[in-house]
């Protein structure tokens, strides 16, 4: 039976409810000094606020080495009643010191598989997806080896692969590598951040592969393109790709949390969903928040 691998164990896809398909409870990168998401109390408050508005599941895309705090996730999930899915994988090389990457150079796939099947560190908490990252309109050597490792871990486990597209670009490069060269089935790939490069033709081209497209935000850094999201979603739905769309909040800084006066996780349900319903209707928004993530993240685990 296929199941979504949450921090409290495998659950059937039908149990997810309303899903924030791309977000962060914890995240710490040297690239964002002073903006780390480290506070468990704030993470709990975000989950509770999301739950209050009908939220059922949060998929955290924080990968290896960026402060996932895996051991804290089960209690947060249990206390708030929100399913949480954790990630393995690696972000762009700028987020790591050389020693961390050197230590993983020849064993990244092995580490990803261990985190998906045995647990992250000593926490016993298993990851439910593999996160990797592309570059700006291209894939560098780091993106290639991490995606190769992700594909290998996918083959071993069945886990979905979620991809950070740098400023929303490089979708076709990612798909050609992951699905073309490395043979990952497109329906096991989720592309994130396409809203940051709102080119409708490029979106349709990527969707044509059969992969999932996760639209995320809003964010202060990407305000210039965030408001185009409803049009992009409508365009894809009209082209027949409504079943491949996902939505997430992608809270990456402490200032963006609702407990600190930002939009945070509840904003997805408080404002994004009703705004999107104006563009595509409530029925599609319901499917995008429930049925699509259930399919995207449910896996026949091996
Ligand atoms: Zn993210």
């Amino acid at each position: 039976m296929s199941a979504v691998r949450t921090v409290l164990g495998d659950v059937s896809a039908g149990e997810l409810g309303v899903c924030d398909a791309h977000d962060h409870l914890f995240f710490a990168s040297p690239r964002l000094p002073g903006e780390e998401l480290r506070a468990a109390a704030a993470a709990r408050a975000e989950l509770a606020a999301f739950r209050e508005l009908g939220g059922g599941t949060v998929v955290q895309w924080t990968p290896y080495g960026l402060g996932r705090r895996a051991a804290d996730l089960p209690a947060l999930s249990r206390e708030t009643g929100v399913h949480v899915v954790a990630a393995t994988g690696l972000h762009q090389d700028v987020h790591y010191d050389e020693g961390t990457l050197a230590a993983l150079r020849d064993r990244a796939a092995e580490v990803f598989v261990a985190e998906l099947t045995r647990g992250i560190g000593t926490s016993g908490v298993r990851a439910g997806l593999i996160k990797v990252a592309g570059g700006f309109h291209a894939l560098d050597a780091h993106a290639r080896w991490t995606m190769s490792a992700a594909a290998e871990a996918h083959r071993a486990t069945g886990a979905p692969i979620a991809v950070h597209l740098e400023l929303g670009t490089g979708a076709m490069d990612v798909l050609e590598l992951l699905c073309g060269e490395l043979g990952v089935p497109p329906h096991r790939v989720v592309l994130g951040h396409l809203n940051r490069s709102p080119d409708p033709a490029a979106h349709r081209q990527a969707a044509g592969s059969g992969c999932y497209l996760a639209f995320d935000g809003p964010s202060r850094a990407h305000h210039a393109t965030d408001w185009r999201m409803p049009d992009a979603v409508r365009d894809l739905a009209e082209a027949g790709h409504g079943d491949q769309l996902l939505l997430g909040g992608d809270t990456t800084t402490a200032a963006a949390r609702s407990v600190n006066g930002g939009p945070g996780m509840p904003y997805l349900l408080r404002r994004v969903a009703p705004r999107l319903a104006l563009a595509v209707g409530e029925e599609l928004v319901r499917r995008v928040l429930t049925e699509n993530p259930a399919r995207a993240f449910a896996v026949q685990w091996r």
Side-chain angles (χ1 to χ4, degrees), residues 178-263:
L178 277 181
C179 307
E181 279 179 52
L182 299 168
V184 178
H187 74 276
R188 296 280 57 145
V189 175
V190 181
L191 299 181
H193 303 323
L194 272 168
N195 41 303
R196 296 178 184 176
S197 182
D199 174 348
H203 288 186
R204 284 194 297 270
Q205 195 183 13
S209 73
C211 70
Y212 285 92
L213 312 175
F215 289 85
D216 40 67
S219 100
R220 190 170 274 280
H222 303 286
H223 178 67
T225 52
D226 277 347
W227 59 272
R228 293 172 176 264
M229 189 274 279
D231 286 343
V233 167
R234 182 177 53 205
D235 196 74
L236 286 163
E238 283 173 2
H241 299 297
D243 291 344
Q244 295 163 247
L245 305 173
L246 304 171
L247 289 174
D250 196 24
T251 314
T252 53
T253 65
R257 283 190 148 150
S258 65
V259 286
N260 296 326

